[in-house]
Amino acid sequence: GEGCRTVPLAGHVGFDSLPDQLVNKSVSQGFCFNILCVGETGLGKSTLMDTLFNTKFEGEPATHTQPGVQLRSNTYDLQESNVGLKLTIVSTVGFGDQINKEDSYKPIVEFIDAQFEAYLQEELKIRRVLHTYHDSRIHACLYFIAPTGHSLKSLDLVTMKKLDSKVNIIPIIAKSDTISKSELTKFKIKITSELVSNGVQIYQFPTDDESVAEINGTMNAHLPFAVIGSTEEVKIGNKMMKARQYPWGTVQVENEAHCDFVKLREMLIRVNMEDLREQTHTRHYELYRRCKLEEMGFKDTDPDNKPFSLQETYEAKRNEFLGELQKKEEEMRQMFVQRVKEKEAELKEAEKELHEKFDRLKKLHQDEKKKLEDKKKSLDDEVNAFKQRKTAAELLQSQGPQAGGSQTLKRDKEKKKTRERYF
């Protein structure tokens, strides 16, 4: 500020060695850098990576028969002079190969978010080990544009629009030796205007640092970079150079008159690698972290715009959670009581129905019993009547022969008298 005053030192103190201390510490710890290569199958993503780092990374060429977009991640430990680099290359396998490309960007967004989430979870732990944590957040996204010479595909525009708030996008025209120089200039202008008109924010090389402001300002005007990749070495003059040989001539990868490969390598690795790492942490990760914490209900200010500490927020959320828990417990208890009552009512109803059925059956049984008793009585009466008739019949039968015999004697006497009279 204006009120600060400069105090001269009476002698040498030694804090001018701080940068050296920082460098030594960083070198001993090593660095990590993560690149995401997004582009359709066959645009030379793997070849360009091999060319950029002058290394043959393992990997098989992807087919065009993938059912969906998959992300393939490989980590390598590279050493240059005394500096170690843990490099992670993430490639989109099957991007642009599907008939319906509507959701092609989703696996890429999910992958980037998953790396942010992993870092956030490490940050939120009680015991953090961020100094030894392998940071897998994507620092740079090389977006490979097909060398059509016309305009960007809608797939490219949609994907870049979805990624621009999550990662540093550096657009590059792949296999640019398939377009003539005049067409390439027009193509670059067309791509830039389409990105601007669609509101796609690509990574701008920083111009706030005086030492790199001029070169970065110049390079920003060259975006998107038209690149060629090749691990093939061809002897040109008396030097071996990376090149692509064609029947009509040789394209030199590291010749700036032929392509922008050297510009890309300078900007990505030699000049702005640390800025890309910093931008990822301070801009993209911070945005993700803020949104995630706000979703969880954490805020810096209360409704009256007064500062709100993390502890107060946590306690408020905890009380809210406990309140919700108690409310749910009470609801469950009420539901349980209600269910018990309903069950009791059902059981009472069933018991009532059972009693009614028992009474009906009992009455039916009594009626049946009465009918049987009545029938038995009537049958007994019939049996008694039959017995009486039988007795009477037997009595008559026993009296019958005597009465019948006297009547026959009388008739015989009368017949005899009659005969005597006539004869």
Side-chain angles (χ1 to χ4, degrees):
E2 290 175 9
C4 293
R5 61 195 180 97
T6 307
V7 181
L9 299 173
H12 185 259
V13 177
F15 58 75
D16 59 353
S17 68
L18 259 173
D20 301 328
Q21 291 174 37
L22 195 65
V23 167
N24 293 337
K25 190 178 178 184
S26 299
V27 167
S28 66
Q29 283 179 350
F31 300 89
C32 79
F33 191 63
N34 308 318
I35 301 176
L36 169 66
C37 299
V38 181
E40 294 175 65
T41 311
L43 283 180
K45 299 187 288 292
S46 304
T47 307
L48 186 72
M49 287 298 105
D50 290 350
T51 317
L52 266 175
F53 291 96
N54 202 20
T55 310
K56 181 70 183 129
F57 298 116
E58 75 264 13
E60 295 172 5
T63 61
H64 289 271
T65 55
Q66 298 290 335
V69 180
Q70 294 175 326
L71 281 95
R72 189 185 289 160
S73 176
N74 291 302
T75 302
Y76 310 96
D77 286 310
L78 304 180
Q79 189 81 21
E80 190 173 44
S81 299
N82 64 330
V83 179
L85 179 71
K86 191 184 275 285
L87 175 72
T88 302
I89 298 170
V90 183
S91 186
T92 52
V93 180
F95 184 77
D97 286 341
Q98 295 75 36
I99 294 169
N100 182 4
K101 300 178 181 68
E102 194 179 352
D103 298 331
S104 292
Y105 68 88
K106 282 184 180 175
I108 305 169
V109 171
E110 284 166 10
F111 180 85
I112 294 167
D113 282 348
Q115 311 319 308
F116 283 152
E117 184 62 31
Y119 194 87
L120 178 62
Q121 288 305 319
E122 187 61 39
E123 255 194 350
L124 294 173
K125 281 182 183 176
I126 304 296
R127 290 184 179 180
R128 302 182 297 178
V129 284
L130 290 171
H131 60 286
T132 57
Y133 175 76
H134 175 225
D135 187 0
S136 60
R137 295 173 297 176
I138 301 298
H139 300 121
C141 169
L142 293 181
Y143 198 96
F144 288 69
I145 298 163
T148 58
H150 297 286
S151 60
L152 281 170
K153 295 180 182 180
S154 56
L155 171 66
D156 297 332
L157 278 171
V158 168
T159 308
M160 278 197 258
K161 186 70 182 162
K162 294 286 179 186
L163 295 179
D164 67 356
S165 63
K166 296 181 178 293
V167 71
N168 302 312
I169 299 173
I170 301 171
I172 56 176
I173 300 162
K175 298 186 173 178
S176 62
D177 51 344
T178 59
I179 316 176
S180 67
K181 271 211 161 177
S182 57
E183 279 180 328
L184 190 57
T185 309
K186 288 176 190 170
F187 191 34
K188 279 191 178 188
I189 294 164
K190 182 78 175 165
I191 289 168
T192 308
S193 66
E194 281 185 346
L195 291 173
V196 170
S197 61
N198 286 280
V200 178
Q201 298 286 318
I202 62 166
Y203 174 72
Q204 293 291 308
F205 301 118
T207 52
D208 48 1
D209 182 359
E210 286 178 17
S211 58
V212 292
E214 192 181 340
I215 186 170
N216 279 351
T218 310
M219 290 303 173
N220 279 330
H222 276 89
L223 285 169
F225 292 136
V227 297
I228 302 160
S230 175
T231 50
E232 211 178 303
E233 295 215 334
V234 178
K235 192 168 186 178
I236 296 161
N238 57 357
K239 280 180 79 179
M240 294 299 286
M241 297 180 78
K242 287 187 178 70
R244 295 186 78 88
Q245 277 192 311
Y246 293 101
W248 42 263
T250 305
V251 177
Q252 295 167 29
V253 170
E254 293 175 305
N255 185 337
E256 288 195 57
H258 290 192
C259 73
D260 298 330
F261 172 79
V262 173
K263 292 185 179 75
L264 173 67
R265 189 173 61 191
E266 287 278 314
M267 290 296 97
L268 182 70
I269 300 167
R270 290 185 67 180
V271 181
N272 299 303
M273 188 183 262
E274 185 51 38
D275 185 71
L276 284 160
R277 283 157 41 89
E278 195 182 314
Q279 283 287 320
T280 299
H281 185 76
T282 57
R283 184 168 158 229
H284 302 298
Y285 170 68
E286 278 301 313
L287 178 65
Y288 176 84
R289 181 180 172 277
R290 192 180 76 215
C291 294
K292 197 73 180 175
L293 291 176
E294 281 176 358
E295 270 177 37
M296 290 160 70
F298 291 100
K299 288 178 183 171
D300 291 330
T301 54
D302 61 12
D304 304 324
N305 279 335
K306 289 177 183 174
F308 211 46
S309 75
L310 189 69
Q311 188 181 343
E312 284 173 9
T313 310
Y314 170 73
E315 283 171 4
K317 291 300 290 179
R318 189 171 180 274
N319 293 335
E320 189 185 326
F321 173 73
L322 289 171
E324 285 287 323
L325 204 64
Q326 284 177 343
K327 193 179 171 186
K328 278 184 182 175
E329 276 180 11
E330 190 58 38
E331 280 175 10
M332 284 175 80
R333 197 178 288 112
Q334 292 293 334
M335 194 181 286
F336 178 72
V337 170
Q338 185 67 28
R339 290 262 174 92
V340 167
K341 282 181 181 175
E342 283 173 10
K343 202 73 184 168
E344 279 178 356
E346 278 177 29
L347 285 167
K348 279 179 184 174
E349 191 66 35
E351 197 178 1
K352 191 182 172 187
E353 280 179 20
L354 211 62
H355 279 303
E356 285 174 2
K357 195 174 182 183
F358 177 71
D359 291 341
R360 280 200 304 274
L361 286 168
K362 197 175 176 184
K363 194 173 181 299
L364 195 69
H365 175 67
Q366 284 171 350
D367 291 347
E368 289 290 326
K369 194 178 177 184
K370 195 171 180 298
K371 278 181 190 175
L372 279 168
E373 283 172 355
D374 290 347
K375 205 164 188 180
K376 190 185 175 193
K377 195 182 173 190
S378 65
L379 282 168
D380 286 344
D381 291 344
E382 278 181 33
V383 166
N384 290 334
F386 177 73
K387 279 180 181 175
Q388 284 173 3
R389 282 200 301 276
K390 187 183 175 188
T391 310
E394 281 173 355
L395 194 65
L396 270 167
Q397 210 172 357
S398 62
Q399 290 172 359
Q402 295 170 5
S406 62
Q407 282 172 1
T408 308
L409 284 168
K410 279 181 183 180
R411 277 200 297 273
D412 286 349
K413 282 179 181 178
E414 283 173 4
K415 279 180 184 177
K416 199 175 178 182
K417 280 179 183 180
T418 307
R419 272 200 304 272
E420 283 174 358
R421 199 177 292 147
Y422 287 108
F423 298 106

